[in-house]
mmCIF file of all heavy atoms in Angstrom:
data_model
loop_
_atom_site.group_PDB
_atom_site.id
_atom_site.type_symbol
_atom_site.label_atom_id
_atom_site.label_comp_id
_atom_site.label_asym_id
_atom_site.label_seq_id
_atom_site.Cartn_x
_atom_site.Cartn_y
_atom_site.Cartn_z
ATOM 1 N N LEU M 337 184.159 -89.305 -133.743
ATOM 2 C CA LEU M 337 183.404 -89.632 -134.888
ATOM 3 C C LEU M 337 184.183 -90.675 -135.651
ATOM 4 O O LEU M 337 185.300 -90.406 -136.115
ATOM 5 C CB LEU M 337 183.115 -88.386 -135.711
ATOM 6 C CG LEU M 337 182.390 -87.292 -135.068
ATOM 7 C CD1 LEU M 337 182.249 -86.041 -135.957
ATOM 8 C CD2 LEU M 337 181.050 -87.702 -134.581
ATOM 9 N N SER M 338 183.564 -91.887 -135.803
ATOM 10 C CA SER M 338 184.393 -92.951 -136.349
ATOM 11 C C SER M 338 183.822 -93.509 -137.632
ATOM 12 O O SER M 338 182.635 -93.726 -137.753
ATOM 13 C CB SER M 338 184.419 -94.100 -135.266
ATOM 14 O OG SER M 338 184.591 -95.337 -135.828
ATOM 15 N N GLY M 339 184.708 -93.773 -138.621
ATOM 16 C CA GLY M 339 184.262 -94.318 -139.863
ATOM 17 C C GLY M 339 185.401 -95.181 -140.424
ATOM 18 O O GLY M 339 186.535 -95.002 -140.146
ATOM 19 N N HIS M 340 185.034 -96.188 -141.244
ATOM 20 C CA HIS M 340 186.119 -96.989 -141.900
ATOM 21 C C HIS M 340 186.212 -96.524 -143.332
ATOM 22 O O HIS M 340 185.213 -96.236 -143.992
ATOM 23 C CB HIS M 340 185.811 -98.476 -141.783
ATOM 24 C CG HIS M 340 184.582 -98.966 -142.386
ATOM 25 N ND1 HIS M 340 184.408 -99.232 -143.755
ATOM 26 C CD2 HIS M 340 183.357 -99.269 -141.858
ATOM 27 C CE1 HIS M 340 183.195 -99.641 -144.003
ATOM 28 N NE2 HIS M 340 182.521 -99.672 -142.894
ATOM 29 N N THR M 341 187.471 -96.507 -143.786
ATOM 30 C CA THR M 341 187.741 -95.980 -145.151
ATOM 31 C C THR M 341 187.663 -97.107 -146.178
ATOM 32 O O THR M 341 187.483 -96.857 -147.391
ATOM 33 C CB THR M 341 189.182 -95.411 -145.299
ATOM 34 O OG1 THR M 341 190.129 -96.436 -144.939
ATOM 35 C CG2 THR M 341 189.346 -94.247 -144.293
ATOM 36 N N ASP M 342 187.685 -98.381 -145.807
ATOM 37 C CA ASP M 342 187.653 -99.441 -146.772
ATOM 38 C C ASP M 342 186.248 -99.808 -147.217
ATOM 39 O O ASP M 342 185.238 -99.472 -146.459
ATOM 40 C CB ASP M 342 188.411 -100.677 -146.228
ATOM 41 C CG ASP M 342 187.881 -101.285 -144.996
ATOM 42 O OD1 ASP M 342 187.426 -100.475 -144.077
ATOM 43 O OD2 ASP M 342 187.849 -102.513 -144.840
ATOM 44 N N VAL M 343 186.142 -100.405 -148.350
ATOM 45 C CA VAL M 343 184.817 -100.822 -148.923
ATOM 46 C C VAL M 343 184.989 -102.312 -149.379
ATOM 47 O O VAL M 343 186.077 -102.744 -149.565
ATOM 48 C CB VAL M 343 184.440 -99.931 -150.120
ATOM 49 C CG1 VAL M 343 184.118 -98.512 -149.680
ATOM 50 C CG2 VAL M 343 185.474 -99.976 -151.226
ATOM 51 N N VAL M 344 183.867 -102.923 -149.542
ATOM 52 C CA VAL M 344 183.876 -104.341 -150.035
ATOM 53 C C VAL M 344 184.043 -104.296 -151.585
ATOM 54 O O VAL M 344 183.776 -103.316 -152.197
ATOM 55 C CB VAL M 344 182.591 -105.086 -149.603
ATOM 56 C CG1 VAL M 344 182.514 -105.276 -148.093
ATOM 57 C CG2 VAL M 344 181.351 -104.411 -150.146
ATOM 58 N N PRO M 345 184.533 -105.444 -152.112
ATOM 59 C CA PRO M 345 184.784 -105.510 -153.529
ATOM 60 C C PRO M 345 183.534 -105.412 -154.370
ATOM 61 O O PRO M 345 182.403 -105.605 -153.863
ATOM 62 C CB PRO M 345 185.394 -106.859 -153.793
ATOM 63 C CG PRO M 345 185.846 -107.333 -152.425
ATOM 64 C CD PRO M 345 184.963 -106.660 -151.437
ATOM 65 N N VAL M 346 183.704 -105.143 -155.681
ATOM 66 C CA VAL M 346 182.560 -105.071 -156.581
ATOM 67 C C VAL M 346 182.606 -106.287 -157.524
ATOM 68 O O VAL M 346 181.733 -106.432 -158.405
ATOM 69 C CB VAL M 346 182.517 -103.766 -157.431
ATOM 70 C CG1 VAL M 346 182.322 -102.609 -156.508
ATOM 71 C CG2 VAL M 346 183.772 -103.589 -158.237
ATOM 72 N N ASP M 347 183.623 -107.151 -157.421
ATOM 73 C CA ASP M 347 183.821 -108.292 -158.320
ATOM 74 C C ASP M 347 182.522 -109.105 -158.417
ATOM 75 O O ASP M 347 181.937 -109.469 -157.431
ATOM 76 C CB ASP M 347 184.950 -109.162 -157.804
ATOM 77 C CG ASP M 347 186.181 -108.413 -157.405
ATOM 78 O OD1 ASP M 347 186.223 -107.923 -156.274
ATOM 79 O OD2 ASP M 347 187.067 -108.270 -158.281
ATOM 80 N N GLY M 348 182.170 -109.433 -159.609
ATOM 81 C CA GLY M 348 181.032 -110.333 -159.839
ATOM 82 C C GLY M 348 179.673 -109.709 -159.620
ATOM 83 O O GLY M 348 178.642 -110.353 -159.682
ATOM 84 N N GLN M 349 179.669 -108.398 -159.268
ATOM 85 C CA GLN M 349 178.351 -107.781 -159.025
ATOM 86 C C GLN M 349 177.872 -107.009 -160.280
ATOM 87 O O GLN M 349 178.699 -106.506 -160.985
ATOM 88 C CB GLN M 349 178.439 -106.712 -157.865
ATOM 89 C CG GLN M 349 178.740 -107.466 -156.521
ATOM 90 C CD GLN M 349 178.620 -106.377 -155.397
ATOM 91 O OE1 GLN M 349 178.789 -105.168 -155.582
ATOM 92 N NE2 GLN M 349 178.406 -106.909 -154.169
ATOM 93 N N ALA M 350 176.596 -107.076 -160.549
ATOM 94 C CA ALA M 350 176.036 -106.486 -161.772
ATOM 95 C C ALA M 350 175.765 -105.001 -161.541
ATOM 96 O O ALA M 350 174.594 -104.654 -161.287
ATOM 97 C CB ALA M 350 174.825 -107.242 -162.183
ATOM 98 N N TRP M 351 176.760 -104.138 -161.591
ATOM 99 C CA TRP M 351 176.487 -102.695 -161.409
ATOM 100 C C TRP M 351 175.967 -102.110 -162.746
ATOM 101 O O TRP M 351 176.494 -102.504 -163.836
ATOM 102 C CB TRP M 351 177.854 -101.994 -161.078
ATOM 103 C CG TRP M 351 178.193 -102.178 -159.596
ATOM 104 C CD1 TRP M 351 178.657 -103.345 -159.026
ATOM 105 C CD2 TRP M 351 178.166 -101.207 -158.570
ATOM 106 N NE1 TRP M 351 178.880 -103.143 -157.642
ATOM 107 C CE2 TRP M 351 178.623 -101.820 -157.375
ATOM 108 C CE3 TRP M 351 177.799 -99.830 -158.532
ATOM 109 C CZ2 TRP M 351 178.703 -101.134 -156.152
ATOM 110 C CZ3 TRP M 351 177.932 -99.151 -157.334
ATOM 111 C CH2 TRP M 351 178.380 -99.832 -156.161
ATOM 112 N N THR M 352 175.048 -101.208 -162.663
ATOM 113 C CA THR M 352 174.608 -100.487 -163.889
ATOM 114 C C THR M 352 175.200 -99.147 -163.949
ATOM 115 O O THR M 352 175.009 -98.475 -164.984
ATOM 116 C CB THR M 352 173.042 -100.417 -163.916
ATOM 117 O OG1 THR M 352 172.666 -99.556 -162.809
ATOM 118 C CG2 THR M 352 172.394 -101.804 -163.748
ATOM 119 N N VAL M 353 175.895 -98.716 -162.889
ATOM 120 C CA VAL M 353 176.637 -97.408 -162.959
ATOM 121 C C VAL M 353 178.095 -97.769 -162.568
ATOM 122 O O VAL M 353 178.387 -98.827 -162.093
ATOM 123 C CB VAL M 353 176.073 -96.414 -161.897
ATOM 124 C CG1 VAL M 353 174.651 -95.988 -162.316
ATOM 125 C CG2 VAL M 353 176.085 -96.978 -160.496
ATOM 126 N N GLU M 354 178.981 -96.768 -162.793
ATOM 127 C CA GLU M 354 180.410 -96.968 -162.415
ATOM 128 C C GLU M 354 180.488 -97.021 -160.890
ATOM 129 O O GLU M 354 180.095 -96.059 -160.236
ATOM 130 C CB GLU M 354 181.199 -95.781 -162.925
ATOM 131 C CG GLU M 354 181.413 -95.782 -164.439
ATOM 132 C CD GLU M 354 182.917 -96.105 -164.738
ATOM 133 O OE1 GLU M 354 183.579 -96.539 -163.909
ATOM 134 O OE2 GLU M 354 183.210 -95.893 -165.893
ATOM 135 N N PRO M 355 181.064 -98.059 -160.360
ATOM 136 C CA PRO M 355 181.117 -98.112 -158.891
ATOM 137 C C PRO M 355 182.051 -97.099 -158.210
ATOM 138 O O PRO M 355 181.851 -96.629 -157.103
ATOM 139 C CB PRO M 355 181.614 -99.539 -158.576
ATOM 140 C CG PRO M 355 182.164 -100.060 -159.858
ATOM 141 C CD PRO M 355 181.515 -99.327 -160.973
ATOM 142 N N PHE M 356 183.131 -96.757 -158.905
ATOM 143 C CA PHE M 356 184.114 -95.850 -158.282
ATOM 144 C C PHE M 356 184.071 -94.434 -158.945
ATOM 145 O O PHE M 356 185.096 -93.672 -158.904
ATOM 146 C CB PHE M 356 185.528 -96.424 -158.332
ATOM 147 C CG PHE M 356 185.634 -97.747 -157.541
ATOM 148 C CD1 PHE M 356 185.713 -98.968 -158.142
ATOM 149 C CD2 PHE M 356 185.473 -97.701 -156.123
ATOM 150 C CE1 PHE M 356 185.777 -100.137 -157.352
ATOM 151 C CE2 PHE M 356 185.462 -98.888 -155.421
ATOM 152 C CZ PHE M 356 185.609 -100.095 -155.991
#
Side-chain angles (χ1 to χ4, degrees):
L337 300 176
S338 153
H340 60 81
T341 60
D342 59 322
V343 294
V344 294
V346 297
D347 311 85
Q349 294 188 336
W351 283 71
T352 64
V353 293
E354 286 251 15
F356 298 109

